[in-house]
Amino acid sequence: MSEISADQFKFDEQGLLPAVVQDWLDGSVLMLGYMNQEAIARTLTTKRVHFWSRSRRQLWEKGETSGHALHVKDLFVDCDHDTILVKAQAVGPTCHTGERACFFVRLDEQGRIGGDKTQDAAGGILNAVLQTIRDRRAHPRTGSYTTKLFEGGHDKILKKVAEEAGEVLLASKGGKREEIVYEIADLLFHTLMVLGYHDIALQDIYMELGKRFGKAGLREES
C-alpha cells in the first residue's frame, strides 16, 4: 500500500477529507464522498476509488457490490489541502439511484428542492447547447434558428457545417483572434446540430477522444 503522510493534508476532526469525483471525459461532477488516510492510500494503490463510510464507519470501494466502479485517471488536492478532486472513468451509473451522477435535482431561486430530474448539471456549455438543440427538434419553436435548420433538413445542416468550416479557414488565415474565436464557435454549434440530428450524445465523442488520448492516467500506469 502507498505510504501517505497525513501531515500534508488538513483532515477534519474525524480524520476525513471531502473527495469530489469528476468524470475525466466531460468534467461532470459524479459524486461526493469522504476519504481518510487509508482510503487515499487504497485509491492510489488499486487505482480504484475508495471512501470511508461515515454511517458504517468502514472503508469501502466504490462498486464493490454493484460493479459500478470508478477507475482513477488523476488526483488533485485543493489550495488548502483539505479537499481532494478525483478524475475518474465510471463503469456504469455512479449514483445508487441508477442515475449517471448524484446531482440531478435542481435547487430553485427560492431555495426549494425540485421534484423533477434534470441532466443540466452534467458537462459544460457544449452539453447545454446540444440539449437545447435536441429540445428544439422535439419541440419546434417559431422563430428559432435551430428549428429552421431542422425544418430545412439534413442537407441544409450539412451545408452550414461546410460553410462554417470555410469561415474558420479564412479567419485563421487572417490571423485575427476575435474572428477565429467567433467562427469556431459557429462551427461548433453547427457540428452540434449534426449530433442532434443523428441523436448522438457528446459523451460518445468524449469516449472516442478518450481512446485516442495519449497521456496515460493512473489506471494505465499500473
Side-chain angles (χ1 to χ4, degrees):
M1 184 181 296
S2 300
E3 292 295 329
I4 299 297
S5 174
D7 295 339
Q8 62 184 334
F9 298 104
K10 293 181 181 177
F11 293 101
D12 66 14
E13 63 277 3
Q14 296 179 324
L16 301 175
L17 294 176
V20 179
V21 181
Q22 185 181 44
D23 188 299
W24 82 290
L25 292 174
D26 72 351
S28 295
V29 178
L30 300 178
M31 67 171 291
L32 171 71
Y34 289 86
M35 292 183 176
N36 59 6
Q37 188 175 352
E38 184 181 3
I40 297 172
R42 291 285 296 172
T43 296
L44 286 168
T45 300
T46 65
K47 313 303 184 290
R48 293 161 74 98
V49 179
H50 287 69
F51 297 108
W52 176 260
S53 172
R54 294 176 297 168
S55 58
R56 302 193 304 269
R57 299 196 60 78
Q58 66 182 40
L59 193 72
W60 65 286
E61 177 187 331
K62 182 68 176 75
E64 60 188 9
T65 56
S66 67
H68 300 155
L70 292 168
H71 298 305
V72 178
K73 289 293 182 178
D74 219 338
L75 291 166
F76 299 87
V77 63
D78 79 333
C79 55
D80 293 323
H81 296 182
D82 61 4
T83 304
I84 288 178
L85 174 66
V86 183
K87 285 185 174 289
Q89 180 175 349
V91 178
T94 297
C95 185
H96 72 281
T97 63
E99 294 294 324
R100 178 192 173 213
C102 294
F103 301 95
F104 53 83
V105 177
R106 176 176 272 107
L107 190 67
D108 69 18
E109 295 179 357
Q110 286 72 45
R112 294 179 301 224
I113 297 176
D116 297 330
K117 293 181 180 180
T118 176
Q119 299 303 314
D120 290 351
I125 185 62
L126 291 180
N127 195 70
V129 172
L130 182 55
Q131 286 189 43
T132 299
I133 288 171
R134 284 175 159 175
D135 181 71
R136 292 292 182 274
R137 188 178 190 188
H139 308 97
R141 181 176 297 181
T142 302
S144 164
Y145 174 70
T146 302
T147 296
K148 185 177 179 180
L149 281 178
F150 277 128
E151 290 174 346
H154 192 203
D155 287 348
K156 184 171 183 177
I157 295 172
L158 295 181
K159 182 180 179 181
K160 287 300 298 181
V161 173
E163 289 176 0
E164 297 303 338
E167 294 293 336
V168 169
L169 294 179
L170 293 174
S172 182
K173 291 288 286 185
K176 293 184 179 180
R177 183 180 184 279
E178 294 80 3
E179 291 183 8
I180 295 170
V181 170
Y182 184 88
E183 297 300 344
I184 287 180
D186 273 351
L187 178 58
L188 284 173
F189 172 80
H190 290 91
T191 301
L192 291 173
M193 285 291 303
V194 176
L195 294 183
Y197 181 88
H198 292 286
D199 197 26
I200 296 173
L202 269 171
Q203 190 70 14
D204 295 324
I205 308 302
Y206 293 142
M207 289 177 66
E208 179 60 30
L209 288 173
K211 296 175 185 177
R212 306 179 189 185
F213 190 55
K215 180 181 178 182
L218 292 176
R219 182 71 182 168
E220 286 73 23
E221 292 175 355
S222 60

